[in-house]
Coordinates of all heavy atoms in Angstrom, one line a residue:
Q1 N 15.0 -47.5 36.5 CA 16.1 -47.7 37.4 C 16.2 -49.1 37.9 O 17.3 -49.6 38.1 CB 15.9 -46.7 38.7 CG 16.1 -45.2 38.4 CD 17.4 -44.9 37.8 OE1 18.4 -45.4 38.2 NE2 17.4 -44.1 36.8
E2 N 15.1 -49.8 38.1 CA 15.1 -51.2 38.5 C 15.7 -52.0 37.3 O 16.5 -52.9 37.6 CB 13.6 -51.6 38.7 CG 13.5 -53.1 39.2 CD 13.8 -53.2 40.7 OE1 13.9 -52.1 41.4 OE2 14.0 -54.3 41.2
Q3 N 15.4 -51.7 36.1 CA 16.0 -52.4 35.0 C 17.5 -52.1 34.9 O 18.3 -53.1 34.6 CB 15.3 -52.0 33.7 CG 15.8 -52.7 32.4 CD 15.5 -54.1 32.4 OE1 14.5 -54.6 32.9 NE2 16.3 -54.9 31.7
C4 N 17.9 -50.9 35.1 CA 19.3 -50.5 35.1 C 20.1 -51.4 36.1 O 21.1 -51.9 35.8 CB 19.5 -49.0 35.4 SG 19.0 -47.9 34.1
D5 N 19.5 -51.5 37.3 CA 20.2 -52.2 38.4 C 20.3 -53.7 38.1 O 21.3 -54.3 38.3 CB 19.4 -52.0 39.7 CG 19.6 -50.6 40.3 OD1 20.6 -49.9 39.8 OD2 18.9 -50.2 41.2
Q6 N 19.2 -54.2 37.4 CA 19.3 -55.6 37.0 C 20.4 -55.9 36.0 O 21.1 -56.9 36.0 CB 17.9 -56.1 36.5 CG 16.8 -56.2 37.5 CD 15.5 -56.6 36.9 OE1 15.4 -57.1 35.7 NE2 14.4 -56.4 37.6
M7 N 20.5 -55.0 35.1 CA 21.5 -55.1 34.0 C 22.9 -55.0 34.6 O 23.8 -55.7 34.2 CB 21.3 -54.0 32.9 CG 20.1 -54.2 32.1 SD 19.7 -52.9 31.0 CE 21.1 -52.9 29.9
I8 N 23.1 -54.1 35.6 CA 24.4 -54.0 36.3 C 24.7 -55.2 37.0 O 25.9 -55.7 37.1 CB 24.4 -52.7 37.1 CG1 24.4 -51.4 36.2 CG2 25.7 -52.7 38.0 CD1 24.2 -50.2 37.0
Q9 N 23.7 -55.8 37.7 CA 23.9 -57.0 38.4 C 24.3 -58.2 37.5 O 25.2 -59.0 37.8 CB 22.6 -57.4 39.2 CG 22.3 -56.6 40.4 CD 21.0 -56.9 41.0 OE1 20.3 -57.8 40.6 NE2 20.5 -56.1 42.0
Q10 N 23.7 -58.2 36.3 CA 24.1 -59.2 35.3 C 25.5 -59.0 34.9 O 26.3 -60.0 34.7 CB 23.1 -59.2 34.1 CG 21.7 -59.7 34.5 CD 20.7 -59.3 33.4 OE1 21.0 -58.7 32.4 NE2 19.5 -59.8 33.6
F11 N 25.9 -57.7 34.6 CA 27.3 -57.4 34.3 C 28.3 -57.8 35.3 O 29.3 -58.3 35.0 CB 27.3 -55.9 33.9 CG 28.7 -55.4 33.5 CD1 29.3 -56.0 32.4 CD2 29.4 -54.4 34.2 CE1 30.6 -55.5 32.0 CE2 30.6 -54.0 33.9 CZ 31.2 -54.6 32.8
A12 N 27.9 -57.5 36.6 CA 28.7 -57.9 37.7 C 29.0 -59.4 37.8 O 30.1 -59.8 38.1 CB 28.2 -57.4 39.0
Q13 N 27.9 -60.1 37.5 CA 28.0 -61.6 37.5 C 28.9 -62.1 36.4 O 29.8 -63.0 36.6 CB 26.6 -62.2 37.3 CG 26.6 -63.7 37.6 CD 25.2 -64.3 37.5 OE1 24.3 -63.8 36.8 NE2 25.0 -65.3 38.4
T14 N 28.8 -61.4 35.2 CA 29.7 -61.8 34.1 C 31.2 -61.5 34.5 O 32.1 -62.3 34.2 CB 29.4 -61.0 32.8 OG1 28.0 -61.3 32.5 CG2 30.3 -61.3 31.7
L15 N 31.4 -60.4 35.1 CA 32.8 -60.0 35.5 C 33.3 -61.0 36.5 O 34.5 -61.4 36.5 CB 32.8 -58.6 36.1 CG 32.6 -57.4 35.3 CD1 32.5 -56.1 36.1 CD2 33.8 -57.3 34.3
S16 N 32.4 -61.5 37.5 CA 32.9 -62.4 38.5 C 33.4 -63.7 37.8 O 34.3 -64.4 38.3 CB 31.7 -62.7 39.5 OG 30.7 -63.5 38.9
Y17 N 32.7 -64.1 36.7 CA 33.2 -65.3 36.0 C 34.6 -65.1 35.4 O 35.3 -66.1 35.2 CB 32.2 -65.7 34.8 CG 30.8 -66.0 35.3 CD1 29.7 -65.8 34.5 CD2 30.6 -66.7 36.4 CE1 28.4 -66.1 34.9 CE2 29.3 -67.1 36.9 CZ 28.2 -66.8 36.1 OH 27.0 -67.1 36.5
Q18 N 35.0 -63.9 35.2 CA 36.3 -63.5 34.7 C 37.3 -63.2 35.8 O 38.4 -62.8 35.5 CB 36.2 -62.4 33.7 CG 35.2 -62.6 32.5 CD 34.9 -61.4 31.7 OE1 35.4 -60.3 32.1 NE2 34.1 -61.5 30.7
G19 N 36.8 -63.4 37.0 CA 37.7 -63.2 38.2 C 37.9 -61.8 38.6 O 38.8 -61.4 39.2
M20 N 36.9 -60.9 38.2 CA 37.0 -59.5 38.5 C 35.8 -59.1 39.3 O 34.7 -59.5 39.0 CB 37.1 -58.7 37.3 CG 37.3 -57.2 37.5 SD 37.4 -56.2 36.0 CE 39.0 -56.7 35.4
D21 N 36.0 -58.2 40.3 CA 34.9 -57.6 41.0 C 34.4 -56.3 40.4 O 35.3 -55.6 39.8 CB 35.4 -57.4 42.5 CG 34.3 -56.7 43.3 OD1 33.4 -57.5 43.9 OD2 34.3 -55.5 43.5
I22 N 33.1 -56.0 40.5 CA 32.7 -54.8 39.8 C 33.3 -53.6 40.4 O 33.5 -52.6 39.6 CB 31.1 -54.7 39.9 CG1 30.6 -53.6 38.9 CG2 30.6 -54.5 41.3 CD1 29.2 -53.7 38.5
N23 N 33.6 -53.6 41.6 CA 34.3 -52.4 42.2 C 35.7 -52.2 41.6 O 36.1 -51.1 41.4 CB 34.4 -52.6 43.8 CG 33.1 -52.5 44.4 OD1 32.2 -51.7 44.1 ND2 32.8 -53.4 45.3
Q24 N 36.4 -53.3 41.3 CA 37.7 -53.3 40.6 C 37.5 -52.7 39.2 O 38.3 -51.9 38.8 CB 38.3 -54.6 40.5 CG 38.7 -55.2 41.8 CD 39.2 -56.7 41.6 OE1 38.5 -57.5 41.1 NE2 40.4 -56.9 42.1
Y25 N 36.4 -53.2 38.6 CA 36.1 -52.7 37.2 C 35.9 -51.1 37.2 O 36.4 -50.4 36.4 CB 34.9 -53.4 36.6 CG 34.4 -52.8 35.3 CD1 35.0 -53.0 34.1 CD2 33.3 -51.8 35.4 CE1 34.5 -52.4 32.9 CE2 32.9 -51.3 34.2 CZ 33.5 -51.5 33.0 OH 33.1 -50.9 31.8
M26 N 35.1 -50.7 38.2 CA 34.8 -49.2 38.2 C 36.0 -48.4 38.5 O 36.2 -47.3 38.0 CB 33.7 -49.0 39.3 CG 32.3 -49.5 38.9 SD 31.0 -48.9 40.0 CE 31.3 -49.9 41.5
K27 N 36.9 -49.0 39.3 CA 38.2 -48.3 39.6 C 39.0 -48.2 38.4 O 39.6 -47.2 38.0 CB 38.9 -49.0 40.7 CG 40.1 -48.2 41.3 CD 40.7 -48.8 42.5 CE 41.8 -47.9 43.1 NZ 42.4 -48.5 44.3
M28 N 39.1 -49.3 37.7 CA 40.0 -49.4 36.5 C 39.4 -48.5 35.3 O 40.2 -47.9 34.6 CB 40.1 -50.8 36.0 CG 41.0 -51.7 36.8 SD 41.0 -53.4 36.3 CE 41.6 -53.2 34.6
S29 N 38.1 -48.5 35.2 CA 37.5 -47.8 34.1 C 37.1 -46.3 34.5 O 36.5 -45.6 33.7 CB 36.2 -48.5 33.7 OG 35.3 -48.6 34.7
N30 N 37.5 -46.0 35.7 CA 37.3 -44.6 36.2 C 35.9 -44.2 36.2 O 35.5 -43.2 35.5 CB 38.2 -43.6 35.4 CG 38.1 -42.2 35.9 OD1 38.1 -42.0 37.1 ND2 38.3 -41.2 35.1
T31 N 35.0 -45.0 36.8 CA 33.6 -44.7 36.7 C 33.0 -45.1 38.1 O 33.7 -45.6 39.0 CB 32.8 -45.5 35.6 OG1 31.5 -45.1 35.5 CG2 32.9 -47.0 35.9
N32 N 31.7 -44.8 38.3 CA 31.0 -45.1 39.6 C 29.7 -45.7 39.2 O 29.2 -45.8 38.1 CB 30.9 -43.9 40.5 CG 30.2 -42.8 39.9 OD1 29.1 -42.9 39.3 ND2 30.7 -41.5 40.0
L33 N 28.9 -46.1 40.3 CA 27.6 -46.8 40.1 C 26.6 -45.9 39.3 O 25.9 -46.4 38.5 CB 27.1 -47.2 41.4 CG 26.0 -48.3 41.4 CD1 26.4 -49.5 40.6 CD2 25.6 -48.7 42.8
N34 N 26.5 -44.6 39.7 CA 25.6 -43.7 39.1 C 25.9 -43.5 37.6 O 25.0 -43.5 36.8 CB 25.6 -42.4 39.8 CG 24.9 -42.4 41.2 OD1 24.0 -43.3 41.3 ND2 25.3 -41.6 42.1
Q35 N 27.2 -43.5 37.3 CA 27.6 -43.3 35.9 C 27.3 -44.6 35.1 O 26.9 -44.5 33.9 CB 29.1 -43.0 35.8 CG 29.5 -41.6 36.2 CD 31.0 -41.4 36.4 OE1 31.7 -42.3 36.7 NE2 31.5 -40.2 36.0

């Protein structure tokens, strides 16, 4: 779970470079943090 969270944090950082928030991504992709 710790590794999963680190990977999601890295993904969120990548999204931020593209001007997108991870919450926006989850809404657009119809998913949530657990998924």
Side-chain angles (χ1 to χ4, degrees):
Q1 291 302 318
E2 186 79 12
Q3 180 70 28
C4 288
D5 288 344
Q6 287 179 17
M7 291 171 64
I8 292 171
Q9 287 173 8
Q10 291 167 356
F11 179 58
Q13 190 173 34
T14 300
L15 287 175
S16 70
Y17 295 148
Q18 301 169 0
M20 183 183 291
D21 180 81
I22 191 163
N23 293 316
Q24 292 174 308
Y25 170 82
M26 288 191 289
K27 189 172 183 179
M28 287 176 60
S29 60
N30 188 33
T31 188
N32 57 45
L33 197 55
N34 286 332
Q35 288 172 323

